[in-house]
Amino acid sequence: MVQTFFGRVLSRSGDHRAVFYLGAATPAADCCGINHLPSSHTGNYCFFNLLTIALCLLLIDDAAIGTSRRDIRALVNSAPTGRVLPNQLCSYAALAVIVVTLPINAWLIFSAFKPQSRPPGWLAKFYEQLEAFRIVNGYGLFRVMTKDRGEIVIEGSTDGIEWLPYEFKWKPGDLKRAPGWCAPHQPRLDWQMWFAALEAPEQNPWLVGLIVRLLEGSRDVTGLLARNPFQDKPPHYIRAMFYRYRFTSSEELRQTGAWWKRQELREYLPTISRDQLR
């Protein structure tokens, strides 16, 4: 729940407005960067939070680095009078941008919670006029967070009766394995498996290639996994099952030692055998 909250609110308020903050004052750098600290500590967003924070570093005035607030105020007061008007214009321009974009930004955040909702007619037309400038677009990563955790479990068998799961390094599998912390590393295969669970098998042809390599016993592929249940000889059959994963309660965790509970929903990919590869 904590991860979902920060993923929806803080990431949305940081990602798609980071570029907008470039026109604001130095405190905006603090706001944008601090916004990403809670989300980076409550979700595995790999290096994306660090990239946004790095972008916010461009907002910090060079004069502010290693300088006290009193010295900065004195530096501003002693600035040449010819720069007063340009500085005021920059402030007014930033304020105007905030006033213009605030309603749309508020709507984009609201639509993250209710993706099916539609904006009022006047706001939709206003948004169309500003869309080309790319200053209020909802292009942030994970703009809409999923409420269910669907997971693909790849299983192998030598006889088609007893099935053993392949364990990945990061994504949920074993019910008693606690969630890992991978940031800032991005485990590409595990992430692809998560995205594949959000789509149909036809949209992920690479998954069939993965299964083929497992049937062939490719060491390059099995080396990407946490546990290969068929170390000596690759299985004769492989299938992919689709489960819904949920966290157990604190009471269930104490009693069973399981971090996850799951429900089998359907077969994601039908059984593929080595005979089909010939």
Side-chain angles (χ1 to χ4, degrees):
M1 182 179 296
V2 174
Q3 176 181 346
T4 302
F5 175 80
F6 284 119
R8 287 190 175 190
V9 180
L10 296 179
S11 291
R12 288 286 298 121
S13 63
D15 287 348
H16 82 280
R17 279 187 260 175
V19 178
F20 157 74
Y21 283 149
L22 289 172
T26 300
D30 300 331
C31 177
C32 186
I34 292 174
N35 272 358
H36 276 265
L37 293 179
S39 61
S40 66
H41 286 74
T42 56
N44 277 319
Y45 296 114
C46 305
F47 50 83
F48 299 126
N49 295 108
L50 295 179
L51 287 180
T52 306
I53 293 174
L55 179 62
C56 292
L57 294 178
L58 300 176
L59 303 172
I60 301 177
D61 193 336
D62 292 343
I65 299 177
T67 307
S68 66
R69 291 184 179 273
R70 181 178 301 174
D71 294 337
I72 294 175
R73 193 176 296 111
L75 184 63
V76 172
N77 293 334
S78 63
T81 56
R83 293 197 58 187
V84 174
L85 183 58
N87 288 340
Q88 288 180 342
L89 290 177
C90 290
S91 300
Y92 292 147
L95 180 61
V97 172
I98 293 175
V99 172
V100 170
T101 60
L102 184 60
I104 298 180
N105 280 323
W107 174 260
L108 290 174
I109 295 176
F110 175 78
S111 64
F113 290 87
K114 295 185 177 297
Q116 305 302 324
S117 56
R118 293 290 179 266
W122 65 270
L123 188 60
K125 292 180 180 179
F126 190 34
Y127 180 57
E128 290 177 3
Q129 298 297 322
L130 292 179
E131 189 175 10
F133 296 99
R134 304 295 180 186
I135 58 175
V136 291
N137 304 74
Y139 60 83
L141 289 169
F142 316 108
R143 179 171 176 264
V144 178
M145 301 299 292
T146 56
K147 297 180 180 179
D148 286 332
R149 178 95 195 196
E151 289 291 344
I152 299 171
V153 177
I154 298 178
E155 300 173 334
S157 174
T158 57
D159 54 11
I161 299 176
E162 182 181 1
W163 296 89
L164 300 176
Y166 288 89
E167 287 292 334
F168 288 75
K169 292 182 178 180
W170 297 103
K171 84 177 201 71
D174 183 1
L175 301 181
K176 292 189 176 183
R177 189 178 67 178
W181 181 273
C182 66
H185 168 61
Q186 183 184 30
R188 186 65 176 171
L189 178 58
D190 295 62
W191 269 60
Q192 287 296 99
M193 290 294 294
W194 178 58
F195 283 116
L198 300 175
E199 301 173 329
E202 295 77 17
Q203 297 173 282
N204 297 276
W206 64 269
L207 187 57
V208 177
L210 172 67
I211 290 178
V212 169
R213 294 297 178 267
L214 291 176
L215 286 171
E216 294 172 347
S218 170
R219 294 191 177 275
D220 291 335
V221 174
T222 56
L224 301 174
L225 305 175
R227 188 177 72 88
N228 174 17
F230 303 95
Q231 293 283 350
D232 300 328
K233 183 180 179 181
H236 194 79
Y237 306 96
I238 285 184
R239 67 182 184 184
M241 303 299 295
F242 191 76
Y243 291 86
R244 176 187 290 124
Y245 273 69
R246 292 192 178 102
F247 279 115
T248 57
S249 65
S250 56
E251 182 66 24
E252 291 171 327
L253 177 60
R254 285 195 300 268
Q255 292 180 356
T256 66
W259 285 84
W260 302 94
K261 53 185 175 182
R262 69 184 185 183
Q263 175 188 3
E264 182 180 321
L265 298 181
R266 65 180 183 273
E267 187 178 61
Y268 188 83
L269 275 179
T271 302
I272 302 176
S273 69
R274 283 210 306 266
D275 296 335
Q276 295 175 260
L277 305 182
R278 298 174 184 174

